[in-house]
Amino acid sequence: MPGDWLNYHHLLYFWTVARLGSVTKASEELRIAQPTISGQIRQLEETWGRKLFSRAGRSLALTDFGKDVFQYADEIFHLGQELVQVAKGGEASAGARITIGIADLLPKLVVARILAPLFDQHPQPRISCLEDRPDRLLAELSRQSVDLVLTDSPIPPWIRIRAYNHLLGASAVSLYTREEDADHYRRNF
């Protein structure tokens, strides 16, 4: 049956679009026409009978199913790259695989500073990052789809998962307003 096998070209096109965030960027990287990529992804969706992307304005957003498929595709293509390296006489990457959920509101510079020590380890771990809302990331943590979650708030008491909070740092918050609004906000803040 058609749905019982996987077309790796279709999966590669999907993975590239998901990784780069647009069909245009994937088209440039793969050197394949945009309509071809879109058609191949549509065929993959038809094969599985489920949508991988949804429209978010002019950009694409992964559906929940698309996020799951992306994680598998990411692992498949990283292993494929490692296989090519070994086949050329190199060594396999011995680093651990770590999947990190990152709250979509966290500043990327803060995330980069928190994760920087991981890149200094030897062997360097293979790191995958998944960006989403904190509640969805905590659901992924409970399903063991991610190894840790970086967010700007502790786990709410109504979410019943077995996990631990650790404060990694703090920063000051500054609020700015127009002079005519300052008194109002000072009294009502």
Side-chain angles (χ1 to χ4, degrees), residues 138-174:
L138 292 172
E140 295 295 322
L141 183 66
S142 70
R143 291 188 339 199
Q144 299 180 352
S145 298
V146 297
D147 298 304
L148 66 101
V149 173
L150 295 176
T151 185
D152 59 349
S153 60
I155 299 171
W158 62 84
I159 294 182
R160 300 279 183 225
I161 65 170
R162 189 176 212 173
Y164 300 95
N165 296 303
H166 297 283
L167 181 64
L168 298 177
S171 65
V173 174
S174 298

Side-chain angles (χ1 to χ4, degrees), residues 2-178:
D4 291 341
W5 60 276
L6 179 61
N7 184 318
Y8 287 94
H9 286 118
H10 294 174
L11 188 64
L12 175 65
Y13 301 154
F14 158 75
W15 178 68
T16 306
V17 170
R19 187 172 45 84
L20 298 177
S22 79
V23 174
T24 302
K25 290 177 184 175
S27 174
E28 292 168 2
E29 181 172 302
L30 296 169
R31 296 188 176 127
I32 296 173
Q34 291 180 29
T36 302
I37 292 173
S38 296
Q40 299 293 311
I41 292 173
R42 196 168 27 260
Q43 283 184 347
L44 187 60
E45 290 176 328
E46 288 170 6
T47 298
W48 286 330
R50 298 175 76 180
K51 289 285 189 192
L52 296 164
F53 293 102
S54 62
R55 283 265 169 215
R58 296 188 67 191
S59 61
L60 294 172
L62 287 170
T63 63
D64 288 340
F65 177 63
K67 289 175 186 177
D68 290 339
V69 172
F70 178 76
Q71 286 184 332
Y72 282 106
D74 197 47
E75 182 73 20
I76 288 167
F77 291 114
H78 278 99
L79 287 172
Q81 291 167 347
E82 191 173 303
L83 172 61
V84 169
Q85 181 180 343
V86 170
K88 290 181 177 182
E91 291 186 21
S93 168
R97 176 123 176 108
I98 302 171
T99 303
I100 301 170
I102 300 171
D104 51 6
L105 296 177
L106 279 181
K108 303 311 170 250
L109 289 174
V110 171
V111 172
R113 290 199 59 185
I114 291 170
L115 298 181
L118 290 174
F119 297 105
D120 295 333
Q121 293 183 2
H122 186 73
Q124 190 176 36
R126 292 182 293 166
I127 300 170
S128 294
C129 295
L130 175 66
E131 184 179 31
D132 208 337
R133 294 188 337 232
D135 59 327
R136 288 185 178 174
L137 293 172
L138 292 172
E140 295 295 322
L141 183 66
S142 70
R143 291 188 339 199
Q144 299 180 352
S145 298
V146 297
D147 298 304
L148 66 101
V149 173
L150 295 176
T151 185
D152 59 349
S153 60
I155 299 171
W158 62 84
I159 294 182
R160 300 279 183 225
I161 65 170
R162 189 176 212 173
Y164 300 95
N165 296 303
H166 297 283
L167 181 64
L168 298 177
S171 65
V173 174
S174 298
L175 301 174
Y176 299 92
T177 187
R178 298 178 308 175

